[in-house]
Amino acid sequence: MRVVQHFLKWIETARVSERAAAATALAQAYLNAELAFEDRYAAEAALTALLDDPSSKVRGALAEALSVSRHAPMQVVAALAADQPDVAAPILGRSPVLLDSDLIDRVAEGRDETQRLIAMRPKLSMGVSAAIAEVGSRDACVALVKNAGAEIAGLSFRRMVERHGADAALREALVQDARLPPDCRHLLLVQLGEALRAAPLVQALVGAARADKLTRDACTRASLTLIDAIGQNEHAALVEHLRLRGDLSTGFLIRMVAHGKIDFFGAVLVALTGQGEARIRALLSGGRDMAVGALLRKAGLAPHTRAPIMRALCVWREVARGKRVAGAQEVSWLMLHSLGATPGQAGPAPEAAELAGLLRGIHLDVLRENARLQAQAIAAA
């Protein structure tokens, strides 16, 4: 008790460096020494008095010393957490004394640096992560996504994409995060496409209408690539996301089948028909044409779309069984042929003309891609 009394008188005239060193020593003694009740009570009172020290260096030294202990006095920790950022940093960044409710309150205050420090804590609960996703600054959200020790709900990922998805730094962090749900990856692709479409340079070079078409095509191709990047257990979630956005168009389904995304096409049919996954998988892998046609009809696909899809399914079945070697180039040509839209044929029916144009475009895209890959292989040889 007397030592503490002497300390409280001494700090009134001591220099800043001396007070900072003393604050560290007192905090360590409080945390580590076996003190009698009265001495511990007095030491806690002295630590509380140091909160009023005019020097941030002294308060910062106190915060550093108390930041890693579960036994630090709560009222001192709470006051330090509310101090200026350089003082609060060690407390906000790692103190185990702070409860989730304390951290959420600090996030809600809206100070960018405070939010970022909390987002970088070694472990974060879903509740705190949700608060950062909902009201946190862009920098705080970037720090949260880069924090492998943070538990982040799918809804929180969506809120970050909705709020800051146009920011390149956050987009990059999100795309590299394996925890990101597939629907959020698709939203990022769409936002990137919209940003490119609205860019003044793009508008000036190709015009608004052309930019809109190029953006839609690019987003569709990116969505097909996304299908390959996710697990089969995530197909249903992505299908539902695309369905709610109205992106499950006939054109998208045709591209999907032409490129051999048959497992994902099956997940789409589950959503559109209400049939069981096992039944649809069996029909796609070996069902008779009449049964497959009935399935496609129940999914709402127009009559002129069914023949190309069934032709593609037939080819992909043979590929899966090892009876044939084929890719999107051959499959898209055969789908086009089933419409009567290849040279030497009378041509497609009027209602199928648009579909024939789409398939022709898919076929030309694949030809260009294959030619580019071949040129690269020749150059590397």
Side-chain angles (χ1 to χ4, degrees), residues 27-70:
Q28 290 174 344
Y30 176 87
L31 296 174
N32 301 323
E34 294 184 3
L35 301 175
F37 174 79
E38 290 186 358
D39 291 337
R40 191 170 190 79
Y41 183 79
E44 188 170 318
L47 291 173
T48 304
L50 285 172
L51 295 172
D52 298 323
D53 195 290
S55 172
S56 62
K57 291 183 178 179
V58 175
R59 304 195 307 277
L62 183 62
E64 187 68 39
L66 295 175
S67 64
V68 296
S69 176
R70 294 185 176 276

Side-chain angles (χ1 to χ4, degrees), residues 7-20 22 53 58:
F7 172 81
L8 292 174
K9 291 180 180 179
W10 171 78
I11 60 173
E12 295 177 359
T13 57
R15 291 177 297 183
V16 170
S17 59
E18 294 172 335
R19 300 201 308 273
D53 195 290
V58 175

Side-chain angles (χ1 to χ4, degrees), residues 220-244:
T220 298
R221 294 188 188 95
S223 297
L224 291 175
T225 303
L226 174 60
I227 292 171
D228 290 331
I230 65 175
Q232 193 166 339
N233 61 320
E234 297 178 297
H235 284 178
L238 181 55
V239 167
E240 183 63 16
H241 168 73
L242 293 172
R243 188 183 67 81
L244 292 174

Side-chain angles (χ1 to χ4, degrees), residues 268-319:
V268 172
L269 292 178
V270 169
L272 295 180
T273 66
Q275 297 284 329
E277 182 180 344
R279 172 169 170 73
I280 285 181
R281 189 184 301 117
L283 286 173
L284 292 179
S285 63
R288 294 185 177 183
D289 287 352
M290 186 175 295
V292 175
L295 179 67
L296 298 179
R297 184 170 59 253
K298 188 169 185 178
L301 292 169
H304 64 276
T305 65
R306 297 172 201 160
I309 290 177
M310 292 172 68
R311 185 72 183 96
L313 290 174
C314 181
V315 177
W316 291 122
R317 284 177 187 172
E318 293 178 356
V319 171

